[in-house]
Amino acid sequence: MFTGLKIKNIFFILIGSAIFSFGLVHFNMQNNLAEGGFTGITLLLYFVFGWAPAITNLILNIPLFFIGWKLLGRNVFLYTLIGTLGVSVFLAIFQRFQIKMPLYEDLFLAALFAGVFIGIGLGIIFRFGGTTGGVDIIARLAQKYFGWTMGRTMFMFDLCVITLSLITYLNYREAMYTLVVVFIGARVIDFMQEGAYAARGAMIISDKNQEIADKILKEMDRGVTMLKAMGSFTKKERNVLYCVVGKNEIVRLKSVINSVDPHAFVSVTVVHDVLGEGFTLDENKLPVER
């Protein structure tokens, strides 16, 4: 059943599940803070009826397991199953063996840590191909079919759940700090999803394109692509250089360009994900271990 799955992915999905569950128990549940998505529903059922989140998490996710299997494929479904079971198991463990962290008098600190732990935990799970079920599956579908970031989709869904929590058991102070948790969690998830291979892309327009390209290749060991372009005003064709470098290399790149042509036009953009030689592959086209 589990053939074709990567042990590394399973390991990190379980690590992410542990981080997520730890934050949920020690910062959300101990300080009466809600959450969004299906997790928020499990907390609502816990605070209102006393039902164990480890159990309700599984019950609520059973219908979505079938959606995940049909629309996301076998491997994602199995990784999701592992993530969901992992969250339930770790929730039960951390509820039984809690570290008391009374932060109710400083809910901002509780909200900050809750958002960070939840965001990191879910971000790790997403990066290694899994979800924890519930709105995570919905968010992954929205990313696949509509191009929405997972953090954005989850934030929208979370607002609906938090509103319901406010009606049932939250006071306004707790609800506002819960929004802080959700916002921080969404930003951390997006950072974890997009920031692993984040880089900078530079468009360079100069009369000394070849000299700049040669120097970048020699001094920085980075490839440069020449693109054909035409000036809107002059109607003349010319080459434009495009180069992708790591975030920590952009200052050096500017220095190299400036040393050849101080008057070059340079446009720098944020590149959220980079695949290929120099980033995810080495010079032998083999995956780079990070």
Side-chain angles (χ1 to χ4, degrees), residues 95-160:
Q95 271 196 278
R96 185 174 178 83
F97 304 101
Q98 289 189 43
I99 302 171
K100 294 301 180 181
M101 298 183 184
L103 295 173
Y104 191 77
E105 298 303 319
D106 191 354
L107 280 185
F108 179 77
L109 191 60
L112 177 63
F113 275 94
V116 169
F117 270 80
I118 289 171
I120 291 176
L122 290 179
I124 292 174
I125 292 171
F126 294 156
R127 278 207 64 84
F128 287 91
T131 76
T132 57
V135 73
D136 303 350
I137 293 178
I138 298 172
R140 187 175 286 274
L141 291 173
Q143 183 186 52
K144 181 177 181 179
Y145 292 108
F146 301 106
W148 299 351
T149 66
M150 299 185 77
R152 172 191 173 189
T153 304
M154 293 175 69
F155 186 71
M156 293 168 59
F157 194 94
D158 291 346
L159 288 177
C160 298

